[in-house]
C-alpha cells in the first residue's frame, strides 16, 4: 500500500516523536541503574547527596556504583537486553498501527534522528529533573520513617534504661551474692573435709 505525501510527512513526524519517546524510556533506565547502584551517579545526584538535611544523617554515595564490578556488568547487560526488548515491542506496535506494518527506511531514520536530538539536547535536563524528584522522594520517605519510628525508638531507649537500672540494682547484686554464697559454701566444705582428714590421720 502506498502512502500519500501528507501521510508520509505525518508518519515521519510520528517517527520523530517515537524516537524522542524511546529516548525518555532510555533515560528512565539510566536513572533506575544509578538508583540501584549499577552505574555511577551523575553530577546532579552527587550534588544532591552532598546536601546536609536537618535531622537526617548525610547520605554518603560513591561516584561509582555500590555493587561489585561483576554484578554491575551482569545487571547492566540484562537491563540493556530488557530495554532492547521494550523498544522492539513499542516500535513493532507503532509500525503495525501507524504505518500498517510497512517498513520504510526513512521512518527508522526519523526515529533515530528523534532519539539523538533528544539525547543531545533535553536528556541532561530531563535526568536532572528526575534526579531532583527521586532525591525529594527519598528524603520524604526518610522523614516519614523517622517520624513514625520516633515513638518506638523512644520506647526502646526507655526499656534499655530500665533494663540497665534493673540489672545494676537487682541482677548484678543478686549474682554477686550468689557467687559469694557459693564460694563460701565451697570454702566451708573444703574446711570440713580437711578437718575430717586430719582427724582420720591422727
Amino acid at each position: 500500500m502506498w502512502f500519500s505525501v501528507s501521510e508520509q510527512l505525518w508518519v515521519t513526524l510520528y517517527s520523530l516523536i517515537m524516537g524522542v519517546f524511546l529516548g525518555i524510556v532510555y533515560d528512565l533506565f539510566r536513572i533506575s541503574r544509578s538508583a540501584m547502584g549499577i552505574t555511577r551517579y551523575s553530577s546532579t545526584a552527587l550534588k544532591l547527596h552532598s546536601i546536609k538535611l536537618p535531622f537526617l544523617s548525610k547520605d554518603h554515595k560513591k561516584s561509582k556504583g555500590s555493587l561489585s564490578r561483576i554484578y554491575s556488568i551482569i545487571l547492566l547487560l540484562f537491563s540493556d537486553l530488557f530495554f532492547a526488548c521494550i523498544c522492539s515491542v513499542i516500535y513493532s506496535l507503532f509500525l503495525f498501527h501507524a504505518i500498517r506494518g510497512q517498513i520504510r527506511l526513512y521512518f527508522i531514520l526519523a526515529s533515530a534522528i528523534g532519539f539523538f536530538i533528544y539525547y543531545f539536547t533535553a536528556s541532561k535536563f530531563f535526568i536532572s529533573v528526575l534526579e531532583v524528584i527521586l532525591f525529594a522522594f527519598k528524603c520524604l520517605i526518610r522523614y516519614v520513617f523517622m517520624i513514625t519510628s520516633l515513638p518506638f525508638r523512644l520506647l526502646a531507649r526507655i526499656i534499655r534504661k530500665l533494663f540497665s537500672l534493673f540489672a545494676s540494682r537487682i541482677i548484678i547484686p543478686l549474682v554477686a551474692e550468689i557467687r559469694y554464697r557459693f564460694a563460701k559454701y565451697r570454702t566451708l566444705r573444703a574446711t570440713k573435709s580437711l578437718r575430717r582428714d586430719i582427724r582420720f590421720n591422727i
Side-chain angles (χ1 to χ4, degrees):
M1 176 179 270
W2 295 96
F3 292 97
S4 63
V5 177
S6 61
E7 286 180 337
Q8 291 182 13
L9 290 175
W10 278 111
V11 173
T12 303
L13 179 61
Y14 292 153
S15 300
L16 285 170
I17 296 173
M18 177 59 63
V20 173
F21 176 73
L22 293 178
I24 293 173
V25 174
Y26 180 68
D27 281 342
L28 292 175
F29 269 83
R30 292 170 65 188
I31 292 295
S32 63
R33 289 172 186 170
S34 64
M36 291 186 296
I38 300 175
T39 57
R40 66 179 61 205
Y41 296 93
S42 63
S43 58
T44 304
L46 291 175
K47 289 178 182 178
L48 289 172
H49 287 297
S50 64
I51 297 175
K52 279 189 175 182
L53 295 172
F55 307 108
L56 289 181
S57 60
K58 189 176 178 181
D59 193 8
H60 295 283
K61 297 287 183 182
K62 297 180 180 179
S63 59
K64 296 183 179 179
S66 58
L67 298 176
S68 64
R69 184 175 178 81
I70 297 176
Y71 289 130
S72 297
I73 293 173
I74 294 173
L75 291 176
L76 186 63
L77 177 62
F78 277 103
S79 64
D80 286 338
L81 291 175
F82 187 58
F83 173 73
C85 292
I86 288 179
C87 289
S88 300
V89 171
I90 292 174
Y91 206 77
S92 298
L93 293 174
F94 170 73
L95 290 176
F96 280 104
H97 288 280
I99 56 179
R100 298 182 284 275
Q102 299 186 32
I103 299 176
R104 296 290 186 271
L105 181 61
Y106 54 89
F107 293 155
I108 299 175
L109 290 176
S111 297
I113 290 171
F115 178 86
F116 285 110
I117 287 175
Y118 166 79
Y119 184 78
F120 289 108
T121 55
S123 177
K124 289 184 178 179
F125 175 75
F126 183 69
I127 286 180
S128 299
V129 172
L130 287 180
E131 290 283 1
V132 172
I133 294 173
L134 184 62
F135 179 75
F137 181 73
K138 285 182 178 179
C139 293
L140 178 63
I141 293 297
R142 292 177 66 188
Y143 273 114
V144 170
F145 178 76
M146 182 189 68
I147 294 172
T148 54
S149 63
L150 183 61
F152 300 99
R153 286 186 291 167
L154 291 175
L155 181 62
R157 187 177 298 178
I158 292 171
I159 292 173
R160 189 165 53 246
K161 287 185 177 180
L162 289 176
F163 180 76
S164 62
L165 182 64
F166 178 74
S168 61
R169 295 291 180 87
I170 298 176
I171 296 178
I172 294 177
L174 181 62
V175 171
E177 182 68 22
I178 292 172
R179 290 180 64 183
Y180 170 74
R181 289 183 178 275
F182 183 69
K184 187 177 179 180
Y185 171 74
R186 290 183 63 184
T187 304
L188 290 174
R189 237 181 123 182
T191 305
K192 289 180 180 179
S193 177
L194 183 61
R195 288 177 180 175
R196 193 181 302 114
D197 292 339
I198 291 172
R199 289 177 183 176
F200 181 75
N201 292 329
I202 294 174

